[in-house]
Amino acid sequence: MRKPFFRTSNECWYVKDEAGRFIRLDPNKTKAHDLWKSMLSNAQSIAGKINVGVLLDDFLTEYEPLLSKEKFAKCKFFAQSFVDYVGSELESDSVSCGQVTTWMQQPRLKDKSSEVEGALRPWSSTRQSDAGAAIKSIFRWAEDTGLIVKSPIRRLKLPARASRTNVIATDVHSQLVTAAMASGRSRSFALYLIASHCGARPQQIRDVTAEHVSPDFATMVFFKHKNFGKTRKPLVVFAPPCLQTILKILVAARPIGPLFLNDRGGPWLKDTVCRRMARLREDLGLDSSVIAYAYRHTFATDALLAGVDVATVAALLGHSSIAMVSRVYGHLAEHPGHIHEAAAKTARRRLSGE
């Protein structure tokens, strides 16, 4: 039984039952929803309660055509992992916030083929947050659609996501590109790394096609991006000269589909990019903070150090406000020369009375 809807013609709330009949509830929204929940409770007490396995299967069946292949695979992975932990026969209303939290924090094999001591590690805080958010949203969907009366994990607190405000130094970028070029199987990844220097999100680099590229190859325009709902404007990413040359070559070779492909000729996926970065870090002895997303923060930091104002940097990154970009100033503590110069300019201006 779906949730109630309001009929303006009758100025009353209605609900459609399993037989397709429309049932009049009440003109008052609160009273109408109370009646609906009471009906759900009575129906479930007669028909029996839905178990976790069925609930998650129903969600995946409904959302498979609505989600991208990558997002669906991620959601399916978390759903299967959770079912394996709590058991498919567990009644959905018996799930607790504590169970979900314990599941998120479980040590897991980093590599399924590895059985060596120390291979068991918990997910990172970011992955735990993603996992908890996925299960929480599934139970919220079940409540909204009437499969359950109320989500038992409404108050689930998700772990804070790890900060991704690290930057990639110029010499480190050179090492990464050189190492990728040196390996025959990684040359396509070198192009991916060079493209990442433009400040776009990793997903945009993975998704960019010839349609996104301007005729002069100087910009990439994305009408669908993370903050479009807030800005209502397309995101324009400016390509440096080196990337312009690469785009010109790739657009000619691949007029349809993603421009940046992996070694096998398929599109890059988030997981494959992460694995490739991890392999390069291991080969070069680099810190775990060297990740693909760090290129975006590096772009913002470099722009700020070059004197570009915060509002302009926010616009270049596609943000609706300067809040996130302001946090990038934390990187400037790593550049004492810039800080000292800024302090000197402030002192000179104060002394001169400007």
Side-chain angles (χ1 to χ4, degrees):
M1 185 183 295
R2 299 282 178 168
K3 60 182 179 180
F5 62 92
F6 188 75
R7 275 186 175 173
T8 54
S9 58
N10 296 341
E11 294 188 350
C12 188
W13 288 85
Y14 284 78
V15 71
K16 189 177 181 180
D17 66 11
E18 300 298 335
R21 297 170 298 186
F22 293 97
I23 302 173
R24 187 180 187 277
L25 296 175
D26 196 276
N28 180 273
K29 181 178 179 180
T30 301
K31 291 181 179 179
H33 278 70
D34 287 342
L35 286 171
W36 169 61
K37 290 180 179 179
S38 177
M39 292 168 62
L40 283 178
S41 181
N42 291 333
Q44 287 186 351
S45 64
I46 296 173
K49 297 180 179 180
I50 187 170
N51 60 45
V52 172
V54 173
L55 187 153
L56 269 61
D57 281 343
D58 286 352
F59 173 86
L60 294 174
T61 300
E62 180 166 332
Y63 269 79
E64 183 171 10
L66 304 178
L67 298 176
S68 67
K69 185 177 180 180
E70 188 174 343
K71 287 184 177 179
F72 177 77
K74 186 176 183 179
C75 193
K76 184 178 181 180
F77 170 79
F78 288 138
Q80 186 59 57
S81 174
F82 183 69
V83 169
D84 291 343
Y85 177 73
V86 300
S88 61
E89 299 302 319
L90 179 68
E91 292 182 352
S92 57
D93 60 355
S94 298
V95 175
S96 67
C97 294
Q99 283 178 312
V100 181
T101 299
T102 304
W103 162 70
M104 290 188 294
Q105 297 174 349
Q106 281 291 301
R108 294 169 172 86
L109 282 173
K110 184 178 180 181
D111 183 348
K112 290 184 179 181
S113 63
S114 175
E115 299 291 344
V116 298
E117 185 179 356
L120 286 173
R121 296 180 182 176
W123 282 332
S124 67
S125 59
T126 296
R127 192 160 180 80
Q128 287 183 34
S129 181
D130 288 343
I135 301 304
K136 194 173 182 178
S137 64
I138 291 174
F139 273 83
R140 185 169 60 246
W141 164 84
E143 178 182 332
D144 291 341
T145 54
L147 288 176
I148 59 177
V149 177
K150 182 179 179 180
S151 169
I153 56 173
R154 271 187 173 188
R155 299 183 180 276
L156 175 67
K157 292 184 178 180
L158 302 177
R161 300 173 66 86
S163 175
R164 297 189 297 185
T165 56
N166 46 298
V167 297
I168 295 179
T170 303
D171 62 328
V172 172
H173 170 66
S174 298
Q175 291 179 50
L176 290 168
V177 173
T178 301
M181 289 295 292
S183 172
R185 295 189 60 192
S186 299
R187 288 178 182 174
S188 58
F189 193 59
L191 297 180
Y192 181 96
L193 294 175
I194 294 171
S196 298
H197 237 311
C198 67
R201 290 186 174 88
Q203 182 177 350
Q204 290 159 348
I205 301 299
R206 297 196 299 269
D207 294 345
V208 65
T209 66
E211 294 182 354
H212 295 108
V213 183
S214 62
D216 61 358
F217 306 101
T219 60
M220 295 177 285
V221 182
F222 299 90
F223 288 91
K224 291 183 179 180
H225 60 94
K226 184 177 180 180
N227 292 317
F228 180 77
K230 296 179 180 179
T231 64
R232 310 306 298 177
K233 297 179 181 179
L235 171 61
V236 180
V237 178
F238 293 86
C242 180
L243 180 54
Q244 290 180 31
T245 302
I246 293 174
L247 290 175
K248 186 175 182 179
I249 296 171
L250 293 180
V251 167
R254 301 162 186 166
I256 299 176
L259 295 180
F260 295 93
L261 301 178
N262 60 29
D263 310 314
R264 298 180 179 179
W268 285 106
L269 300 177
K270 182 178 179 180
D271 286 344
T272 54
V273 169
C274 290
R275 287 197 295 269
R276 190 59 58 85
M277 287 293 289
R279 190 181 307 167
L280 288 176
R281 287 198 306 267
E282 183 177 352
D283 291 343
L284 298 171
L286 300 175
D287 186 81
S288 60
S289 63
V290 179
I291 58 176
Y293 205 97
Y295 275 103
R296 181 168 165 85
H297 291 292
T298 302
F299 172 85
T301 301
D302 289 345
L304 292 169
L305 291 173
V308 181
D309 64 275
V310 180
T312 300
V313 174
L316 289 172
L317 295 175
H319 289 287
S320 58
S321 71
I322 66 171
M324 192 289 294
V325 180
S326 296
R327 292 199 296 271
V328 179
Y329 273 117
H331 298 317
L332 301 186
E334 302 169 12
H335 301 269
H338 176 80
I339 297 296
H340 294 160
E341 179 60 24
K345 285 183 179 180
T346 303
R348 287 196 297 269
R349 177 171 295 181
R350 184 172 63 251
L351 293 174
S352 63
E354 295 181 8

